[in-house]
Amino acid sequence: MPEYDFSDTVAFVTGAAHGQGRSHAQYYAKHGADVVVTDIAGGMDSVPYDLGTEDELDETAGLVEDEGQEALALGVDVRDEDDVQSAVEEAVDHFGHIDVLANNAGIVTISDMVEMDELLWDEMIDTNLKGVWLCAKHVGKHFVDRGDGGKIVSTSSTAGLVGNPGAGHYSAAKHGVIGLTKTLVLELAEYDVNVNAVCPTVVGTPMITGMTEAYGEEVLEEIGELAGQFNVFEDEDPAIESRDISEAYMWLSSDAARYVTGIALPVDAGMTSK
């Protein structure tokens, strides 16, 4: 594991109850950061699988503390501006500052565009795009007011680079994350804020497990047949691991990437190379 130094740094991680968000929180802590771990800790009407729970969020906080760092666990619905603003203010009151925003919270649901229920569209866009904007807005305001730089890293997807049959609303949101990222780069550069996105292929997380249980094991195969092979390496499982995405987050959050801003970094096992 590369040795990044996040001493005296506070990372604000969304969607941290399990999956990639939990991994990111642990990785920031392993490298010396205190971590604000947030999650909706509840369900959504359009999502047919379990989202993170309060108990899981507390477990993530415990994993951060096991690394010798301080954790602040907050229930946050990223779709709700009052929720986001209150959480950012509480984090700043508690730690004095935020240095890194890890915009990870997200959902996935499946439906063809011509058959999609409006609720699926609305909850997807509100979570995976509006939520990224709201967190960037309020942490970004803190960066501007503080005047000491900052890092924003957001999870897009390979679906933000190519079409995603069966989940056009997901693809639209993830393309939007890249557009939002590139705009924030230009607006926040004068405040020494780096803004980047990461574009994972399929990652083995509770979200993907829940999706395949809800929609059938064949759903990934059907999407892959049209969108492209999720993993060009000769692995039996097309999914990569959360730690592979966390490593990208760590680099983009570190001084090693001080002149890296505005990129959409594929961590895609070759999916988008074709």
Side-chain angles (χ1 to χ4, degrees), residues 4 6 12 32 62 87 89 117-118 122 129-130 172 189 192 195 208 224 227 235 245 258 264-265 273:
Y4 302 112
F6 294 133
F12 187 105
E89 289 175 351
D117 185 275
E118 188 175 5
D122 288 345
L129 181 55
K130 178 185 174 183
D192 293 327
V195 191
I208 295 300
D235 295 336
I245 313 306
R258 62 186 180 135
L265 176 64
S273 64

Side-chain angles (χ1 to χ4, degrees), residues 5-26:
D5 184 6
F6 294 133
S7 301
D8 303 317
T9 295
V10 176
F12 187 105
V13 183
T14 69
H18 58 209
Q20 293 181 53
R22 172 176 283 185
S23 178
H24 301 343
Q26 286 182 275

